[in-house]
Amino acid sequence: MELTQVIIKPYQTEKSAQARGNKNPVYTFLVDKKADKNTISLAFQTIYGHKPLKVSTQVRKPVAVRSGTAHPGVSSLYKLAYVILPAGVKLEANADGPSQEQTAALEQAADLEAKIVEADNTTAEQENEVEGSVEEENK
């Protein structure tokens, strides 16, 4: 999973706005359902440039929703991440998404991640070649 696809958008409610005013500000984000805490932390650090103290996650399951019709609906499943920052660190308010600097940092991180995956694949291929040559010698 690419780091650019982990954090979908900020999740703003009255409760999350109050949490940002604490000693250690807490920011809430809607994240990918498959993302784990380490990936969320790395994506946050890459996008916003601050290392979080802690990341907590919560999966909100679907619930029945009444719409006033004969066919009631169901809300969708989503995952929230609560990112706790060190005291005194605040994010700049940017409702339009990441800035140009943050976008450039994301692209660099994606390139680095692609290089790591490519290096892992190359190493695995070399190991398979060595194992194949050893098996041929043993025959």
Side-chain angles (χ1 to χ4, degrees):
M1 176 184 317
E2 290 187 30
L3 294 177
T4 57
Q5 298 173 345
V6 174
I7 297 177
I8 299 171
K9 66 179 182 177
Y11 187 80
Q12 297 181 1
T13 61
E14 289 181 23
K15 187 175 181 180
S16 66
Q18 288 177 350
R20 279 182 256 144
N22 293 341
K23 179 182 174 187
N24 290 344
V26 179
Y27 290 88
T28 309
F29 295 94
L30 187 65
V31 296
D32 188 81
K33 296 169 197 143
K34 298 176 185 174
D36 60 354
K37 293 179 183 183
N38 292 330
T39 308
I40 294 168
S41 177
L42 184 60
F44 181 85
Q45 188 174 357
T46 304
I47 293 171
Y48 293 101
H50 299 288
K51 185 173 183 178
L53 284 178
K54 182 179 178 181
V55 175
S56 301
T57 58
Q58 181 180 45
V59 177
R60 298 274 178 100
K61 301 207 164 121
V63 294
V65 178
R66 295 197 51 180
S67 60
T69 63
H71 306 290
V74 178
S75 66
S76 60
L77 180 131
Y78 58 95
K79 187 172 190 175
L80 294 176
Y82 298 96
V83 179
I84 302 171
L85 296 178
V89 175
K90 292 196 177 196
L91 298 181
E92 55 188 63
N94 190 358
D96 298 333
S99 66
Q100 291 178 351
E101 295 171 356
Q102 293 168 343
T103 305
L106 282 172
E107 290 173 357
Q108 289 176 351
D111 291 342
L112 181 62
E113 188 174 346
K115 289 178 183 176
I116 290 171
V117 169
E118 183 178 319
D120 288 344
N121 291 341
T122 305
T123 305
E125 290 173 3
Q126 291 174 350
E127 289 175 357
N128 289 339
E129 290 176 6
V130 169
E131 290 175 4
S133 64
V134 169
E135 289 177 5
E136 290 176 7
E137 290 176 3
N138 291 339
K139 290 182 180 180

